[in-house]
Amino acid sequence: WVELKELTQAAGSVSIRAIAVAGDDPRHLYVANENNVVVRLFADPISPVVTTLPQLPAGTRGTISALAVSVADPELLYVAVGEDQNVTTRSDSTRFLRLRGTGPWEDLTSRLPDYASQGVTRVARKNAVHAIAIAPDDRIFIGCDRGVFVSRDKGDTWVGIHDGLPATPVRGIAYQASNSRIQAYTHGRSVWERDADLAPCT
């Protein structure tokens, strides 16, 4: 193990909240800390390079909960925004962002649909996003306080795929390439799975 002091100098000595590996070379990383500072890191043990990315847009009140990188483009980053710890009331906030290269940030929250299921409605700006998974074909899956959503066009449009899923937070999400299934890891309601290639139910 080698300590990457350059990362601490750029992001500060506070807790790391999310890490994402870009492409096939694990030395290329994105790291976010609890102050919502995001850096791009070339983690070479001999000559590491750290690039601090622009600050998140004004109106981002929660804390970064997940990062993910496009399969096709290692400079295309997605950021999920959850909530601060021990917060029970959801704030009106930016929830999902996209960054190409060094910016600027694109706020995609308005493109997320509101969650409406089982008599529960939650608007996108109050629906904290906790997890991101990206399939080999660059489909993006996100797990939220309420619901699971998928985008097939780099986050421009979304559709819900939470048919039958309990109205409980999805804290983790994973795509299994071997059988093309998506798994949602919920808060207190176990793990749920569905075929990622099935069209959403109406």
Side-chain angles (χ1 to χ4, degrees):
W1 291 90
V2 177
E3 181 184 2
L4 294 164
K5 295 184 174 125
E6 292 81 2
L7 175 62
T8 303
Q9 291 166 4
S13 55
V14 295
S15 297
I16 300 297
R17 294 298 302 264
I19 298 175
V21 179
D24 297 327
D25 187 344
R27 295 176 300 172
H28 294 272
L29 306 172
Y30 291 88
V31 180
N33 71 14
E34 64 183 11
N35 292 334
N36 286 348
V37 174
V38 184
V39 299
R40 181 183 294 124
L41 171 64
F42 178 65
D44 184 87
I46 305 300
S47 55
V49 178
V50 177
T51 303
T52 303
L53 300 177
Q55 288 185 331
L56 298 189
T60 305
R61 294 185 180 85
T63 304
I64 291 173
S65 53
L67 302 173
V69 185
S70 163
V71 175
D73 182 357
E75 294 214 344
L76 180 55
L77 175 69
Y78 301 99
V79 173
V81 179
E83 275 297 348
D84 295 328
Q85 292 182 356
N86 302 319
V87 172
T88 56
T89 302
R90 293 302 184 229
S91 59
D92 187 291
S93 175
T94 296
R95 294 297 176 186
F96 197 76
L97 299 131
R98 179 172 64 194
L99 182 79
R100 300 175 190 271
T102 56
W105 290 102
E106 298 175 80
D107 183 356
L108 304 182
T109 309
S110 63
R111 303 180 189 188
L112 293 171
D114 295 342
Y115 171 89
S117 180
Q118 303 173 21
V120 177
T121 299
R122 181 161 295 182
V123 298
R125 290 189 62 83
K126 291 189 176 182
N127 197 10
V129 183
H130 301 295
I132 313 171
I134 298 187
D137 62 1
D138 253 5
R139 276 178 296 171
I140 309 167
F141 300 87
I142 59 171
C144 305
D145 252 4
R146 296 292 182 266
V148 174
F149 301 87
V150 61
S151 173
R152 291 174 167 80
D153 54 11
K154 297 182 172 59
D156 288 335
T157 59
W158 297 83
V159 65
I161 56 169
H162 34 257
D163 319 299
L165 191 66
T168 190
V170 175
R171 294 291 184 176
I173 198 162
Y175 178 84
Q176 293 185 312
S178 60
N179 57 9
S180 191
R181 296 185 75 78
I182 192 79
Q183 292 182 332
Y185 301 85
T186 72
H187 177 72
R189 294 295 300 273
S190 191
V191 181
W192 295 71
E193 183 179 76
R194 65 164 280 159
D195 190 326
D197 296 329
L198 286 175
C201 297
T202 56

